[in-house]
């Protein structure tokens, strides 16, 4: 594949049959203005650049560079249960960057103009939506959740029409790969078995080379994705994250969280919590995320069937067995994580009820999810007093006895501090910061990014970042896809 200057970008994706992509140039913006730049990430990835201006013009202005290999990816997907063909309607991969220690990342621009897959859309993005993605994805990274990363947000100088005119922006984001379950659904339904084979082989080579010589690589890939997605969604449950739009086109094969459109964080614990304005049936509610990911993995299995086994009945049997194993694996990993939040470091099914009883108390007493664990960990925050309720005291005694019998308080505390963040992107703080930034004041978003870069270290002077929003805000809060 041809290489391009500066990052030495590569284009391995273009080795796939050309129905998997459209070669397309990102829009050119004459005066892009960078408003957030992730210098820490630039250093981490050892992205070479002599000065910021060169980097920005390389990414956004196409200065003197060959852009003929940039591409938009074709895919399909189940959106709220309905199959549809899609594709990058407003995103373009400008190339793949290889770090000096040979880690490959797609560099993708989001909001950079129309593609073959834009359908009725304008291919553009608003400043507010791109700042939101930058802020939440970076917060997720520091919360130790696998995620796409954000490199920069730049105002394009254009206005974008939504319900009113907004400042337009571009986000540069990085992912190990943007291949998603929907890419396989596209291969299965819009391509031939050869296309599906080519995609599977490419994906395994790129993301999971360790399984390429296994007896049934397609089945191994299915199990791998089941495993990384279970780990990912368990991790979301740990921090109260609600993705909001777990359509199969938004589920990465690499196990990275991505597409931060209508996502939000739960405050008061309630598994039915949903903020997305279009999720009227609560399909992607907090407590439904395990069901949703299981359903999505089943769609992945469907897509892989012809290459799992040439005999359809055998293929189905092998795939079904993989789906049937989902629940036992999920429960083991989920309770293991929840017990770590309680400072218990052993796999102990007899202790699962301790978790369930706490969640029931949190639901009945309308306790803040993050702050309940903060109170148990550091005896601080909004929920400390509420734990004096008689029914909570009974649970507390049980928990303290469990800790005594399993490693002691010192060890438990350390483990709880690593599992329970003090600072999450509280929805009201995110909105306040975004509103200020879209009005030209970036102080709040910059401050929030700093606080959220160290979420497990409670600091008294930052206490107001732990305060849940007023109930009115919580009841009226709604998030939106795309925009
Ligand atoms: P999402 O819900 O953000 O994953 O988007 C679903 C689909 O809509 C994807 O194929 C996007 O590329 C496409 N899309 C979202 N917004 C736009 C837009 N403004 N212009 C074109 N396509 C879009
Ligand atoms: Mg998407």
């Amino acid at each position: 594949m041809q290489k391009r200057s500066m990052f030495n970008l590569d284009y391995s994706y273009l080795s796939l049959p050309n129905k998997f992509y459209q070669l397309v140039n990102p829009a050119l913006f004459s005066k892009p203005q960078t408003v957030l730049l992730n210098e820490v990430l630039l250093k981490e990835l050892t992205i070479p650049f002599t000065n910021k201006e060169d980097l920005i013009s390389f990414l956004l202005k196409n200065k003197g560079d060959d852009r003929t290999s940039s591409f938009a990816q074709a895919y399909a997907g189940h959106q709220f249960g309905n199959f549809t063909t899609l594709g990058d309607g407003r995103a373009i991969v400008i190339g793949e960057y290889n770090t000096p220690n040979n880690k490959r990342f797609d560099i993708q621009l989001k909001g950079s103009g129309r593609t073959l897959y834009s359908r009725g859309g304008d291919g553009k993005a608003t400043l507010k939506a791109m700042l939101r993605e930058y802020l939440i994805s970076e917060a997720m990274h520091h919360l130790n959740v696998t995620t796409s990363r954000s490199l920069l947000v730049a105002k394009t100088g254009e206005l974008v029409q939504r319900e009113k005119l907004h400042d337009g922006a571009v986000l540069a984001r990085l992912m190990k790969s943007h291949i998603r379950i929907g890419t396989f659904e596209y291969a299965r339904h819009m391509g031939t078995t050869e296309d599906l084979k080519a995609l599977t082989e490419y994906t395994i080579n790129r993301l999971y080379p360790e399984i390429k010589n296994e007896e049934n690589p397609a089945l191994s890939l299915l199990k791998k994705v089941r495993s990384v997605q279970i780990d990912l969604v368990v991790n979301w449950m740990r921090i109260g994250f609600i993705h909001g739009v777990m359509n199969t086109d938004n589920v990465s094969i690499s196990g990275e969280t991505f597409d931060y459109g209508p996502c939000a964080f739960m405050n008061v614990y309630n598994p039915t919590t949903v903020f997305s304005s279009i999720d009227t049936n609560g399909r992607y509610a907090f407590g439904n995320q395990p069901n949703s990911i299981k359903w999505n993995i089943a769609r992945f299995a469907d897509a892989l069937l012809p290459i799992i086994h040439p005999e359809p009945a055998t293929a189905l049997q092998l795939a079904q067995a993989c789906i049937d194993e989902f629940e036992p694996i999920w429960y083991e990993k989920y309770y293991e994580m929840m017990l770590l939040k309680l400072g218990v470091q052993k796999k102990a099914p007899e202790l699962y009820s301790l978790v369930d009883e706490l969640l029931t108390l949190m639901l009945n007493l309308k306790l803040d999810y993050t702050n309940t664990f903060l109170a148990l960990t550091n005896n601080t925050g909004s929920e400390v007093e509420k734990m004096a309720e008689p029914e909570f005291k009974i649970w507390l005694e049980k928990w303290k006895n469990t800790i005594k019998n399993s490693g002691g308080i010192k060890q438990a505390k350390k483990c709880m501090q690593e599992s329970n963040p003090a600072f999450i992107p509280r929805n009201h703080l995110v909105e306040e910061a975004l509103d200020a930034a879209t009005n030209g004041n970036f102080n709040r978003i910059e401050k929030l990014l700093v606080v959220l870069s160290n979420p497990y270290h409670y600091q008294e002077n930052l206490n107001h970042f732990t305060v849940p929003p007023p109930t009115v805000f919580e009841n009226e809060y709604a998030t939106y896809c795309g925009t």
Side-chain angles (χ1 to χ4, degrees):
M1 284 300 124
Q2 66 265 58
K3 305 252 183 198
R4 213 171 59 190
S5 64
M6 192 146 184
F7 292 163
N8 254 345
L9 292 182
D10 195 9
Y11 297 91
S12 69
Y13 200 78
L14 303 184
S15 65
L16 285 170
N18 61 12
K19 61 170 66 103
F20 282 100
Y21 56 84
Q22 178 209 11
L23 292 174
V24 55
N25 286 334
L28 284 180
F29 302 105
S30 56
K31 282 197 192 112
Q33 185 200 341
T34 302
V35 289
L36 291 176
L37 177 66
N38 197 337
E39 299 196 36
V40 177
L41 180 62
L42 287 173
K43 277 207 192 94
E44 261 171 49
L45 297 174
T46 29
I47 289 179
F49 65 101
T50 38
N51 63 57
K52 278 187 220 167
E53 283 313 304
D54 277 357
L55 173 83
I56 291 161
S57 62
F58 174 76
L59 287 171
L60 303 178
K61 280 204 286 192
N62 200 14
K63 203 172 137 196
D65 284 300
D66 164 26
R67 211 144 258 215
T68 49
S69 304
S70 302
F71 59 92
Q73 290 171 316
Y75 49 85
H78 278 83
Q79 298 195 304
F80 290 89
N82 302 307
F83 183 75
T84 178
T85 53
L86 295 155
D88 288 332
R90 56 162 177 175
I92 292 171
V93 176
I94 61 164
E96 299 154 12
Y97 168 66
N98 273 313
T99 66
N101 41 10
N102 249 340
K103 288 190 180 146
R104 182 179 294 260
F105 291 93
D106 284 348
I107 300 183
Q108 191 191 61
L109 295 183
K110 196 165 171 181
S112 55
R114 286 178 54 79
T115 73
L116 191 61
Y117 318 109
S118 298
R119 299 176 290 172
D122 59 2
K124 301 289 167 69
T126 64
L127 175 63
K128 187 171 178 180
M130 295 305 96
L131 291 174
R132 194 164 201 282
E133 175 153 345
Y134 185 110
L135 176 62
I136 309 284
S137 62
E138 286 308 296
M140 292 287 274
H141 169 71
H142 293 292
L143 284 160
N144 299 330
V145 180
T146 317
T147 174
S148 63
R149 300 294 306 275
S150 296
L151 200 54
L152 66 77
V153 175
K155 276 164 77 168
T156 59
E158 285 185 359
L159 293 176
V160 172
Q161 182 74 54
R162 296 292 179 260
E163 75 301 343
K164 59 178 180 120
L165 284 173
H166 293 263
D167 279 326
V170 172
L171 168 82
R173 79 173 175 195
L174 267 75
M175 277 183 80
K176 274 189 253 167
S177 140
H178 286 82
I179 300 171
R180 51 201 93 208
I181 290 181
T183 321
F184 283 81
E185 293 178 288
Y186 173 83
R188 169 78 200 269
H189 298 287
M190 263 62 89
T192 62
T193 304
E194 288 312 306
D195 293 327
L196 185 60
K197 268 190 195 148
L199 177 65
T200 305
E201 197 177 297
Y202 172 79
T203 305
I204 290 176
N205 275 331
R206 177 160 173 183
L207 295 173
Y208 303 113
E210 67 278 15
I211 63 171
K212 79 173 167 205
N213 295 322
E214 293 204 354
E215 197 183 322
N216 188 337
L219 189 62
S220 298
L221 181 64
L222 175 60
K223 290 184 180 167
K224 201 67 174 179
V225 173
R226 182 190 64 190
S227 164
V228 294
Q229 283 295 335
I230 287 178
D231 288 346
L232 184 66
V233 180
V234 162
N235 217 357
W236 292 354
M237 306 302 279
R238 177 175 64 83
I239 56 167
F241 176 75
I242 307 166
H243 183 281
V245 62
M246 290 174 73
N247 294 332
T248 55
D249 51 303
N250 290 334
V251 179
S252 69
I253 299 299
S254 58
E256 293 162 290
T257 315
F258 78 119
D259 269 12
Y260 292 93
C263 67
F265 280 77
M266 180 172 63
N267 294 299
V268 171
Y269 173 72
N270 190 324
T272 65
T273 307
V274 56
F275 294 107
S276 168
S277 58
I278 56 165
D279 193 0
T280 40
N281 294 321
R283 181 180 175 97
Y284 300 135
F286 178 73
N288 224 10
Q289 297 188 122
N291 289 333
S292 301
I293 199 63
K294 181 184 172 188
W295 194 88
N296 289 339
I297 300 296
R299 300 290 70 72
F300 186 42
D302 275 346
L304 288 171
L305 282 176
I307 55 168
I308 286 179
H309 200 279
E311 183 58 52
T314 312
L316 192 61
Q317 205 179 22
L318 291 167
Q320 189 61 51
C322 178
I323 302 304
D324 291 343
E325 285 162 4
F326 181 96
E327 259 149 62
I329 301 175
W330 171 269
Y331 283 117
E332 191 181 326
K333 297 232 169 181
Y334 172 75
Y335 281 107
E336 190 185 337
M337 173 281 288
M338 290 301 286
L339 284 170
L340 286 175
K341 281 175 82 66
L342 293 175
V344 181
Q345 279 173 290
K346 62 179 182 192
K347 290 184 187 181
E350 70 279 10
L351 294 177
Y352 291 178
S353 59
L354 192 71
V355 171
D356 295 338
E357 284 166 25
L358 174 64
L359 291 176
T360 305
L361 280 170
M362 286 163 72
L363 179 69
N364 294 343
L365 297 171
K366 296 191 168 51
L367 300 188
D368 183 88
Y369 186 68
T370 304
N371 288 0
T372 302
F373 290 100
L374 181 65
L376 294 173
T377 309
N378 283 337
N379 197 26
T380 190
S382 65
E383 307 311 81
V384 171
E385 277 174 30
K386 298 184 196 157
M387 290 187 181
E389 302 279 342
E391 55 215 293
F392 209 106
K393 277 186 161 164
I394 300 171
W395 182 88
L396 273 178
E397 280 314 306
K398 244 196 237 182
W399 173 60
K400 284 178 186 162
N401 280 332
T402 309
I403 298 288
K404 240 188 255 161
N405 300 329
S406 61
I409 184 71
K410 220 171 154 190
Q411 194 185 313
K413 215 170 169 139
K414 187 171 175 289
C415 157
M416 290 172 79
Q417 273 162 348
E418 285 164 5
S419 297
N420 299 321
F423 306 111
I424 56 162
R426 295 273 177 186
N427 304 329
H428 63 299
L429 298 179
V430 169
E431 291 305 320
E432 278 167 20
L434 295 181
D435 285 340
T438 44
N439 286 321
N441 179 352
F442 282 79
N443 294 343
R444 281 184 180 215
I445 194 167
E446 277 161 8
K447 174 76 186 167
L448 201 50
L449 279 163
V450 171
V451 173
L452 294 172
S453 69
N454 196 7
Y456 295 96
H457 179 57
Y458 176 75
Q459 286 166 273
E460 182 106 47
N461 63 326
L462 298 176
N463 193 53
H464 72 278
F465 287 96
T466 71
V467 178
T471 320
V472 230
F473 177 93
E474 183 81 346
N475 292 344
E476 286 175 9
Y477 188 55
T479 56
Y480 301 89
C481 282
T483 71

